[in-house]
Amino acid sequence: MHDKSVAQLVAGLRDKQFSSVELSRCFLDRIARLDSAYNSFITVDESAALAGAAAADQRIAAGDAATLTGIPIAHKDIFCTSGMRTSCGSRMLDNFVPPYNATLIEHFNRDGAVILGKTNMDEFAMGSSNESSYYGPVCNPWDTALVPGGSSGGSAAAVAAMLAPAATGTDTGGSIRQPAALCGITGIKPTYGRVSRLGMVAFASSLDQAGPMARSAEDCALLLNTMAGHDPLDSTSSELPTEDYCAHLNDSLQGLRIGLPREYFGEGLDAQTASCIDSALRELEAQGATLVEVSLPHSQLSIPAYYVIAPAEASTNLSRFDGVRYGHRCANPVDLHDLYTRTREEGFGNEVKRRILVGTYALSAGYYDAYYKKAQQVRRLIKQDFIDCFEQVDVIAGPTTPGPAFALGAKSDDPLAMYLEDIYTLAVNLAGLPGMSVPAGLVGGKPVGLQLIGRHFGEARLLNVAHRFQQATDWHLRRPATGEVA
Ligand code: GLN
């Protein structure tokens, strides 16, 4: 059962080949047996999962099942789950049990999906390697000496190791697409505002967006159907009606114009990764798409702009963790100042502290215009580059990352080297566009991803291109050896 796609599991439940309790037990057993090698889950509540599965089975028997009724889903530990710890990968929230569900969790509950558990992540979603988690690093199922990518590395590893059929992630600067690429799975970051942010612990509010991570574009479409939609409780959520993301999966690619940004294929891109991307593009061309060279002239500025804007927003969002309202509180504070400083000293890890310092500095009087305001102006130019490109092409394509997964520890002491990992993903968030990563090959046995970027609210088109690609290739069907005894 564990190697079936979500689409196959939906059919299996409907045809009564197995029950949701059996299915959920299968994944819970795999997590118990195998996850010590990957550390992809922070919290698993077996009895809650099985109770959810039993309720789903009743719903299926009663004939009022929704598509995802009974399907076990792993959720990034950034989404508030009522009664279940939500740590955000931080000591600060190690003891935090939310009194309410994120809207995204409510959507999955409405459709009767089962919460399998909460996945490991970089602390407060800051990172590209999943090494900044308070709960320890996640290991890549393809080779446990490698990082899985971050910050949704637990979700990516769990799906790749078949510990969950699908998972949720969040992407502020690449955190769905980059770990999806490095773990050989498929993930889509929808347009900013397509999925509610209510109850998703805030990192950089103008960039954060939740999306699905699964083993195929079709499975991502099934999950996105449940996740997307206007939320009156999130003022940044879009009122534009959602569509059926499965409806256009099989549309022909004849006449599709795919833009290849010159800046995404130059210096810094690993040669073997480049050749995987090239073969993927040839496949799309064979299906009738036209490849057009385009330019995103401000690409180089996305790292400096992002690493001012994201820390600035993070520094204000994280000011709520003060030891007073929720989360960690230091022992025996002598006065209020001691309470704040020791709580934050103890509760936050190094990368989070680094960003709070940078962000607070960038927002300070006297520096605001030079840094934050300037970065926002650059952001506008980056967005304009994409708007101009989409005059000529329907979809933009390139690599998701500069190369395959790197070794654990290789970049953890060098923040700038780590930030370079995000070179192809950040601009998409700065522009608010949808982007996805699709498995496109193996380099030395390690997966790499093809990135597809669409127009605002063009999720259906991206999923269509990815699905057609997956109908003709089998990269998304390759699986790591998960160390099982037969
Ligand atoms: N790697 C980027 C960062 O560390 C993006 C993280 C994310 O998308 N959450 O900020």
Side-chain angles (χ1 to χ4, degrees), residues 125-128 151 171-175 203 306-307 355 422:
M126 298 175 190
S128 310
S151 64
D171 191 313
T172 301
S175 281
F203 163 14
Y306 173 90
Y307 279 100
R355 301 215 188 179
D422 305 331

Side-chain angles (χ1 to χ4, degrees), residues 34-56:
L34 302 170
D35 198 38
S36 55
Y38 314 120
N39 197 27
S40 65
F41 282 88
I42 292 174
T43 302
V44 177
D45 181 342
E46 293 207 2
S47 53
L50 291 172

